[in-house]
Each structure stands twice: as C-alpha cells, then as structure tokens.
Amino acid sequence: MPSDCISFQSSGYFTPLITDYLNQKENLKPLYNRFPTLENFKQQALEKQHNYNSDFRNVLVNALQQQYVGFNISNSTKQNIELLNKDNTFTITTGHQLNLFTGPLYFLYKIVSTINLSRQLTETYPEYNFVPVYWMATEDHDFDEINYFNFKEKKISWNRESSGPVGRLSTLGLEAVLEVFEKELGPGNNAAWLKELFRETYIKHSNLTDATRYLANRLFGDTGLVIVDGDSSSLKKLFTPHVKEELLHQTSHTKVAETAHLLKDYNIQVNPREINLFYIEDNIRERIILQDGTYYVNNTEIKFSEAEILALLESNPEKFSPNVIMRPLYEEVILPNLCYIGGGGELAYWLELKTYFESAGVTFPILLLRNSVLLTTQKQADKLDKLNLTWGDIFMKQQELVTKKTQEFSELGLDFSEQKKFLKQQFAKLYDMAAKTDATFTGAVKAQELKQLKGLENLEKKLLRAEKKNHADKLERITELQNELFPGRSLQERKANFSQFYLEFDGKLTEKLFADLKPLEQEFNIVVL
C-alpha cells in the first residue's frame, strides 16, 4: 500500500509563497507572529489574553445567542457560546463563503481542521477552553462564485440576479435547484437524507445566512462548532474605532503597502484600495471612495461629508462592511482568537497584514494551512499498487507522469544524457582546434554542435513516442486512474461536492475525516474510504 500522505511542499499544488512559509524561510518571518506548532499556542494565548478587550466577550455572547434564536443547537455548542464569557476561553477560526450546499469539498476540510485543532489544544492545555468557530462570509457579494456545486459530472446551479451582501439574499427559487438535484441523486436511504438536508436547509429558511448556518449546524453542530455572522450591528459597533481610522486616515492602505517590498519575489494576493470599506444595504454593496473631502458610494448617487459619514458610523455601524484587507482585523478584534485556518490563497493575503495589525494594536493570529485531502476508494488504492505507482506519482502533471512511467516500463535507454555529454566533449576538442587554426571556424563548429544536439533530442523524442505506443495499455490505465482522482486535472477538493462521497461511502465521510486529519502535521492526506 502506498504512503497515505505526502508533504504539502512536494504535492506541487502550492505556490512558492506558501511552501516558503511552511519551510519557515527567514525572509518571511517578519510577516507572521508565531508559526503553528503546539508549543507556540501557549504564548499566543497569553498575548491574546493580555491584548483582547474582555468587555467584548459579553457583547459577542449576546450576539451569538441572538443569531441562534430559532435553531436547534447541541449542548456542546450552547456550552461553547457560554464559555466565551470566560477570560480563559479562546477561539480557533476558519472562514468560508456561503457556497450552495457547501460548494467544494474543502469547506469540510476547513471546519474539520478547526474542530480537530481545538480538541488537540484542549487536551494539551486543559487550563484553557478552545472553541472552534466558522465565520460565515455573509457580506461578500460575488454571487457567481457561490451559486453552484458539482455533483459527479454535473454542475448544479442557482440562476438568478443578485446584488448586495449574499447573506441577505432570499432563498426563493431554490425549489427548482432541488428538483434537479433529486433527479441526479436517485434512490436509496443516503440519497433520501441528502434530499431532506437540502430541503430543510434552503426551502425552510428565508435567506442564505440562515440557510448556511442551519446546514453547517446539521453537519457539525454536535462537535460544538460555533457559527458567526459578522453582519451584526452590535459586533460592528465594537469595530467602529478601526472603521473611523480607515475613513479618516486610510491606514490599511499605508500599512499593507509597507509590507509589499517583503513580498517582491512573490505574486501579491490582493492589493489594498485607498479605503478598504464597502457601504452595504440589502441590495447594495459598493466601495466607499474619498474624493476632494467627500465620501462617495461607488455606482450610486449616495455621498457624505466627513461629519455625515462619521455620524452614520456612530448610528448605523452595520452599513459599513470591511473588504478582504480589513475583514481579518474585524475578526480578530471581535473574537478572542488564537489561530486562523485557511487555504493557500487566504494565508497569502493574511501575510500582507501584520504591519497593519501592529498599527491597530491587535494581536496577529497564528496562521495555519488547512488540511488538504484526496479521497479514494480501496479499489483505487489497489490499482495504484498494481500499477506500481506511489501517491507522489499520482500528484504529478499528467504528461510528466506518462513520461516517467514510460521510461520505467521500457527496456531501452530513453534518456540520451550520456550521449549528449559525450557529444559536447567531442565538440570541446573541435573548439580548441578552431581557436588554434582559424577563429572564424568557431561559428561553424557551434552551428554543427547545435545541429547534432538537436538531432539527438529528436531521436530521443521519437523513441519515447514509440515506447509510449508499446506500453499504451498500461499508460491508459494510469491516466484513467489519475483522471478519476483529479477531475479536470485539478484537485478533487476544489471540484467535487461532499454529497457525492456521502452517497458513495454510506454516510461515513465526516467520521473518517475526523479520525484521519491532523491539522499541525502539514501533510496532504490520502483518505481511503
């Protein structure tokens, strides 16, 4: 049986920035507070306890209790909400968009990582309480990113017009989506459970925020997961000093720009705007723009003087929505949080923010790359063995994998490196001869060398093509297996929805994930179901 995990760094699916972060390269150390090791959480807790405004705890608990009104929640979730009133309670947080029916698989992996880390920390540091939190991205407005999920080979979409924060969006029209989904599911008890889950989630809740809270609570509520909606007047009231600072001084833009030189060798994930705030109403989420002392709401007729916008902030803080640059600060001001768990793209923009956090006097959290998983059947794992493949092989780019296996299968020497080396040695002697006789011959020698090397390369390619044909049957089985595990030659976790695997594996998916995923080990897990 092949190894059941490979390192993130060797998977080939993470950017240089993230692999360098995982390798703790010196040039990136100024961009984060503490690296995610079990030992570092003790110091992180002490620092956060010192810097976090304990008066916020009661406001947070009251807001959460209000958000859960009308929902059946587990005793463990109730207890965790109440524990947030205690000074020795901290959160471990992940965030995600309100994707239809959870969207891609990694939604589950984020939350399982968060819950498992909270459990591990509770065992290690019993003097503290650790609460897993899912922060819903209710104020996002990119509806096209969340209005579908893939079930097997079919894209199931919710087609409608949308404006404003997606969390406030009505769920009207999802009956038609359920009809399409039901036809794809077919018969059986597991299919019936998925139909019921979709119906209870989207048909019986009036907006996308409540629907997503219900869904996440059904899937994970028994673990004590606490679900937070940041689109809250009482929570935003706590954040108003930072919003005021942004409106008057545009601090986030200045501080994030200071970090840019430390990331000059990488692709910048997000670029800050002058003001990193949106103005929101039920059907509006537009940027706030400052021009000549007046604050304009982009694409509308709404505008404010400085005095007017500060008065609005005081009376209606819920009308101000932090963008991707300011939302991390909002989360860390509101929550007694120690660690943010996210994907590579998320961690990339968090790594731009430490200087901004320092200027705001807010503790920068530990950043942890979420667990990644490749789900496979025992039958697929057995095929890997029979084809003499490793999991490292199956993560390779397909053309590279085919070439590698062809070279292994062939009894011929398909690598002409030795011949090329010998040829270069011979031409080195010719260069010496040309230099001693007539230097003008050097150009002719160079041209002949390139011609001969090109000829060898062409022979090498022709031989490789011929051997691929000779071993076509084995190579086809290899590529078929890889295509099953990497749909569209992309990571399974970015394409497939959990429902496909819930159906296939008799409802055991989350149970297996909780057993197998270890958040601090920095490995791409292969989970055999």
Side-chain angles (χ1 to χ4, degrees):
M1 182 73 184
S3 171
D4 60 356
C5 59
I6 63 173
S7 71
F8 286 138
Q9 294 94 319
S10 63
S11 71
Y13 280 92
F14 293 92
T15 65
L17 174 60
I18 297 304
T19 55
D20 284 355
Y21 173 66
L22 295 174
N23 291 329
Q24 301 183 63
K25 290 288 186 70
E26 286 295 325
N27 63 309
L28 294 180
K29 287 185 177 180
L31 302 181
Y32 59 91
N33 192 12
R34 292 180 178 86
F35 195 73
T37 64
L38 196 58
E39 297 74 22
N40 280 343
F41 277 90
K42 177 73 172 182
Q43 288 303 313
Q44 188 74 18
L46 291 172
E47 181 181 343
K48 186 68 177 184
Q49 194 171 40
H50 178 73
N51 289 341
Y52 181 69
N53 189 334
S54 59
D55 293 339
F56 288 6
R57 289 183 179 274
N58 188 54
V59 178
L60 174 62
V61 169
N62 288 338
L64 288 170
Q65 290 172 337
Q66 185 62 38
Q67 289 178 12
Y68 271 98
V69 168
F71 290 85
N72 293 320
I73 62 174
S74 68
N75 288 331
S76 55
T77 294
K78 287 180 183 177
Q79 181 182 11
N80 276 345
I81 292 174
E82 291 168 1
L83 283 172
L84 287 168
N85 260 321
K86 297 181 177 296
D87 286 342
N88 65 337
T89 299
F90 301 97
T91 60
I92 305 299
T93 302
T94 193
H96 198 68
Q97 295 172 295
L98 309 189
N99 294 73
L100 186 62
F101 213 47
T102 76
L105 273 164
Y106 67 82
F107 170 81
L108 270 68
Y109 306 156
K110 279 185 169 183
I111 293 181
V112 172
S113 299
T114 303
I115 294 166
N116 276 358
L117 179 57
S118 299
R119 290 171 172 173
Q120 185 178 4
L121 291 172
T122 297
E123 292 176 2
T124 306
Y125 301 109
E127 67 271 28
Y128 297 122
N129 306 303
F130 300 93
V131 174
V133 166
Y134 161 39
W135 183 288
M136 295 188 292
T138 54
E139 297 175 61
D140 281 2
H141 66 295
D142 295 320
F143 182 65
D144 290 343
E145 293 183 3
I146 68 167
N147 70 335
Y148 70 93
F149 64 96
N150 297 311
F151 182 74
K152 298 183 179 178
E153 300 298 320
K154 187 174 181 66
K155 182 177 180 179
I156 298 176
S157 300
W158 180 21
N159 298 312
R160 58 160 296 167
E161 293 295 319
S162 172
S163 60
V166 294
R168 303 184 189 183
L169 192 62
S170 167
T171 53
L172 288 175
L174 279 167
E175 297 90 341
V177 178
L178 176 57
E179 289 179 11
V180 174
F181 188 35
E182 285 178 330
K183 290 177 183 177
E184 296 297 322
L185 282 169
N189 291 335
N190 290 330
W193 185 84
L194 289 167
K195 293 173 191 176
E196 183 267 342
L197 179 62
F198 192 100
R199 184 179 297 107
E200 293 289 323
T201 296
Y202 295 107
I203 310 307
K204 295 192 176 181
H205 292 90
S206 61
N207 61 66
L208 201 53
T209 292
D210 286 346
T212 305
R213 177 182 284 107
Y214 175 85
L215 178 59
N217 190 57
R218 275 285 297 271
L219 292 174
F220 297 106
D222 289 343
T223 67
L225 180 71
V226 173
I227 303 162
V228 178
D229 175 13
D231 189 5
S232 160
S233 180
S234 63
L235 295 180
K236 286 188 175 177
K237 188 73 174 176
L238 305 179
F239 192 58
T240 53
H242 302 281
V243 175
K244 183 177 180 180
E245 174 72 19
E246 181 70 6
L247 290 170
L248 295 180
H249 304 295
Q250 298 81 58
T251 307
S252 65
H253 178 273
T254 303
K255 294 301 178 181
V256 173
E258 289 177 8
T259 307
H261 74 281
L262 295 173
L263 291 166
K264 64 182 184 300
D265 295 329
Y266 306 97
N267 291 325
I268 299 293
Q269 186 69 18
V270 292
N271 290 302
R273 298 185 183 277
E274 185 179 2
I275 292 180
N276 291 285
L277 291 166
F278 288 94
Y279 175 89
I280 61 171
E281 295 180 4
D282 285 351
N283 295 305
I284 298 174
R285 186 178 189 251
E286 293 288 350
R287 291 190 294 117
I288 298 173
I289 300 170
L290 177 61
Q291 290 181 348
D292 301 324
T294 299
Y295 295 86
Y296 296 88
V297 177
N298 198 37
N299 295 321
T300 74
E301 299 298 319
I302 304 171
K303 61 182 180 179
F304 305 95
S305 68
E306 180 181 293
E308 288 170 338
I309 202 166
L310 293 180
L312 180 68
L313 173 62
E314 185 65 28
S315 62
N316 295 92
E318 71 280 359
K319 290 185 179 292
F320 296 83
S321 175
N323 75 353
V324 66
I325 291 290
M326 287 192 69
R327 184 164 58 200
L329 185 69
Y330 179 37
E331 293 173 8
E332 298 301 316
V333 166
I334 298 306
L335 297 173
N337 194 49
L338 301 185
C339 175
Y340 185 82
I341 298 178
E346 289 175 283
L347 264 56
Y349 70 71
W350 275 86
L351 287 169
E352 299 178 41
L353 303 177
K354 185 166 178 281
T355 301
Y356 176 41
F357 269 70
E358 289 171 348
S359 73
V362 177
T363 297
F364 196 69
I366 291 173
L367 302 179
L368 177 62
L369 186 63
R370 65 167 172 83
N371 285 115
S372 282
V373 179
L374 178 64
L375 299 175
T376 180
T377 64
Q378 187 61 54
K379 183 178 179 182
Q380 289 169 329
D382 291 342
K383 280 184 182 178
L384 235 71
D385 280 336
K386 290 177 182 177
L387 292 167
N388 197 28
L389 291 167
T390 67
W391 289 116
D393 289 337
I394 211 71
F395 272 80
M396 293 176 68
K397 301 300 181 187
Q398 192 162 98
Q399 195 54 49
E400 294 175 5
L401 174 60
V402 168
T403 297
K404 178 187 175 184
K405 299 312 292 185
T406 301
Q407 291 170 338
E408 290 178 9
F409 294 151
S410 177
E411 296 178 357
L412 305 173
L414 301 184
D415 184 354
F416 283 14
S417 297
E418 185 178 341
Q419 289 84 350
K420 292 174 187 175
K421 181 180 179 181
F422 179 76
L423 187 65
K424 288 180 180 180
Q425 290 172 345
Q426 300 307 304
F427 272 94
K429 295 177 181 178
L430 291 175
Y431 282 123
D432 287 341
M433 292 174 62
K436 292 174 182 177
T437 54
D438 187 342
T440 61
F441 290 164
T442 301
V445 173
K446 182 65 175 177
Q448 192 61 225
E449 180 186 22
L450 293 175
K451 181 179 179 181
Q452 295 293 327
L453 287 172
K454 187 67 175 177
L456 275 178
E457 288 174 2
N458 288 335
L459 286 173
E460 190 176 36
K461 290 176 182 177
K462 288 180 179 178
L463 185 57
L464 180 62
R465 284 197 296 268
E467 283 297 272
K468 284 179 180 178
K469 290 180 181 179
N470 291 337
H471 299 283
D473 181 58
K474 283 184 182 179
L475 294 173
E476 185 177 0
R477 281 184 281 150
I478 288 171
T479 56
E480 284 178 355
L481 178 59
Q482 189 183 50
N483 290 339
E484 288 175 14
L485 295 171
F486 292 79
R489 300 192 187 181
S490 179
L491 286 178
Q492 176 194 79
E493 64 182 33
R494 296 177 186 168
K495 294 285 187 180
N497 181 259
F498 87 98
S499 56
Q500 173 182 335
F501 295 91
Y502 181 91
L503 198 64
E504 190 170 352
F505 301 116
D506 198 29
K508 305 295 185 185
L509 176 59
T510 54
E511 178 184 328
K512 184 68 172 170
L513 293 175
F514 278 119
D516 285 12
L517 301 193
K518 297 175 175 58
L520 295 177
E521 292 192 358
Q522 298 181 20
E523 292 174 333
F524 207 119
N525 293 81
I526 315 300
V527 174
V528 182
L529 292 160

